[in-house]
Amino acid sequence: MITAADIQPEFESLLERKAFEKIRSEAFDYIARGAGSEATMQENLLAFSKWKIRPRVLRNVAEIDMSSTLFDQKLSMPVLFAPIGVQRIAHPEGELASARAAKELNVPLVVSSAASYSMEDIANELGGCSRWFQLYCSSEEIVTRSLVQRAEANGYSAIVITVDTPVLGIRESDARNQYSPLEEGDGCGNYLNDPAFLSLLDLSPEEDMKAALQKQIDIIDQPGLDWDELKKIRELTSLPILLKGVLHPEDAKLALENNVDGIIVSNHGGRQLDHCIASLDALPDIKNIVQDRIPILLDSGIRSGVDVFKALALGADAVLLGRPLVYGLAINGEVGVMQVVHKILHELEITMALAGVRSIKEINSDLLFKG
């Protein structure tokens, strides 16, 4: 049988290589690899390289303002921590370490339904730092309701519904490695202490952990999720609701019609649908539909401050950082996460100055050329 150790990985960056050296190979593959042939993951990176910056000069860039606003909240930078589950596979403290980094940087953290630690424990680490909760709508409605109620009770200020996972994508490296972090219990932090979830079990997790973990896998997603089901979730909360995974302009129209509060243009980092449109390529058409009626965020493919600049220029109000944060986490815990963010923000600041813009509001598509 071929194991992960028999496969020589190709590294996207030095950061990725250093992370590979820190964690078990199966876990690295889970984090770094994409769906199918990984065409979508490659397209995400290629899409950024197609756009060139066309700078302005003599613009007095002595002071650069990277602050931004989302849902009437002032942000020091147009960046959030993406909802990444099972972070314990990268570092023993997982989301707790990421939360401490987010608090230190004052960057909003989006907590995954499939986190290694509970939303309550993560909130304790965050203190007063802004946090959103990413919701996988469960096939068991009582679990969805319970997760939303707990998020509200613990100071989460928005609900991010991931809509691109009605079923799990084909992840060949995980199949080859016979590896599932959910089966190993690394993504159950929000379930094993949830009263609604526990009510579905015949035996407590202490009595039969394997059955409890399998139940989470069985119910974590809702293949029947549609716009009518979305209305039910809207009735559960007064918090802003964002849809994560929107790529088609027609779905952006429907989001507006259904009073969605924000859109995250995302293809799940290339982890779901192979040969899917790159998130950045989808952004302009969605911006054309939405205009400025609701915030648009983007993830998938962000690797540098230059990438952040390009995403903002094409219509995003902010971006979510994904894989680079996990690599930083794997390398050096919360310090590693902070180092990655500082590097990206430094790159963004320098890019803004050299492009001739002094604030995030001045970044627009006139500064880009598609070569």
Side-chain angles (χ1 to χ4, degrees):
M1 181 181 69
I2 296 176
T3 66
D6 299 317
I7 307 297
Q8 179 61 42
E10 294 182 4
F11 297 105
E12 179 187 301
S13 65
L14 178 60
L15 184 70
E16 190 178 68
R17 178 182 290 275
K18 287 183 177 179
F20 174 76
E21 295 169 354
K22 289 284 188 176
I23 57 179
R24 57 190 279 202
S25 58
E26 293 90 346
F28 176 83
D29 278 352
Y30 183 86
I31 295 164
R33 303 276 69 87
S37 67
E38 301 188 340
T40 304
M41 193 168 69
Q42 294 163 16
E43 282 297 318
N44 280 335
L45 302 180
L46 182 61
F48 281 94
S49 69
K50 293 176 182 176
W51 289 97
K52 316 303 178 187
I53 298 172
R54 181 163 47 191
R56 300 294 305 275
V57 296
L58 298 174
R59 302 280 287 180
N60 185 3
V61 292
E63 294 185 10
I64 299 295
D65 179 9
M66 292 191 290
S67 65
S68 182
T69 302
L70 274 178
F71 299 116
D72 298 323
Q73 180 185 355
K74 184 73 174 289
L75 305 180
S76 59
M77 60 198 81
V79 168
L80 295 85
F81 285 17
I84 303 168
V86 302
Q87 289 189 28
R88 194 163 55 201
I89 71 175
H91 187 278
E93 293 187 299
E95 293 86 359
L96 303 182
S98 294
R100 290 194 292 271
K103 180 181 178 181
E104 184 68 24
L105 295 162
N106 195 27
V107 175
L109 171 67
V110 188
V111 174
S112 171
S113 285
S116 299
Y117 295 90
S118 73
M119 68 175 83
E120 290 83 2
D121 288 343
I122 298 169
N124 287 337
E125 295 289 348
L126 286 166
C129 182
S130 176
R131 61 261 199 180
W132 299 356
F133 182 70
Q134 176 269 332
L135 177 68
Y136 281 121
C137 295
S138 173
S139 58
E140 294 286 349
E141 190 174 332
I142 59 169
V143 174
T144 297
R145 182 184 306 115
S146 181
L147 290 173
V148 171
Q149 291 172 345
R150 286 169 58 198
E152 281 193 329
N154 284 277
Y156 290 80
S157 58
I159 302 295
V160 176
I161 302 177
T162 294
V163 293
D164 59 7
T165 57
V167 296
L168 194 65
I170 299 172
R171 302 174 187 175
E172 294 184 358
S173 61
D174 296 339
R176 182 178 64 245
N177 295 332
Q178 298 183 338
Y179 176 68
S180 167
L182 290 185
E183 288 182 2
E184 294 193 357
D186 286 313
C188 61
N190 284 317
Y191 290 83
L192 297 190
N193 66 345
D194 187 88
F197 176 76
L198 294 175
S199 72
L200 302 175
L201 303 178
D202 295 325
L203 297 171
S204 70
E206 291 76 18
E207 295 172 295
D208 192 344
M209 179 61 76
K210 184 177 180 180
L213 295 177
Q214 186 57 53
K215 174 63 75 172
Q216 180 193 353
I217 293 170
D218 291 342
I219 68 153
I220 192 170
D221 290 317
Q222 166 58 295
L225 185 65
D226 59 17
W227 295 102
D228 288 334
E229 288 292 316
L230 182 66
K231 293 176 183 176
K232 296 180 182 178
I233 301 170
R234 173 77 282 175
E235 294 171 356
L236 297 177
T237 181
S238 60
L239 294 177
I241 289 178
L242 298 91
L243 301 186
K244 179 178 181 291
V246 175
L247 294 168
H248 200 291
E250 290 300 317
D251 287 329
K253 289 181 182 178
L254 288 169
L256 292 172
E257 292 172 8
N258 284 272
N259 299 314
V260 168
D261 300 291
I263 286 173
I264 301 178
V265 180
S266 169
N267 58 33
H268 218 99
R271 294 170 54 78
Q272 276 296 97
L273 177 62
D274 199 15
H275 293 273
C276 180
I277 185 174
S279 292
L280 192 72
D281 286 341
L283 178 59
D285 285 342
I286 290 177
K287 177 66 174 181
N288 187 51
I289 294 294
V290 172
Q291 298 298 324
D292 296 317
R293 283 175 281 185
I294 59 175
I296 300 173
L297 290 78
L298 180 135
D299 77 10
S300 305
I302 300 286
R303 298 293 185 269
S304 69
V306 176
D307 294 339
V308 177
F309 182 94
K310 292 177 181 179
L312 298 176
L314 290 175
D317 294 291
V319 303
L320 296 97
L321 300 180
R323 284 187 178 93
L325 296 186
V326 185
Y327 296 149
L329 178 67
I331 294 165
N332 198 18
E334 65 186 276
V335 173
V337 174
M338 291 174 60
Q339 289 172 334
V340 168
V341 176
H342 280 306
K343 178 178 181 294
I344 290 174
L345 291 179
H346 177 67
E347 292 167 348
L348 174 59
E349 182 177 23
I350 297 300
T351 301
M352 289 174 64
L354 294 177
V357 297
R358 293 153 294 195
S359 71
I360 296 300
K361 292 179 180 179
E362 292 182 358
I363 301 175
N364 59 60
S365 59
D366 288 343
L367 296 166
L368 294 187
F369 172 80
K370 196 166 189 178

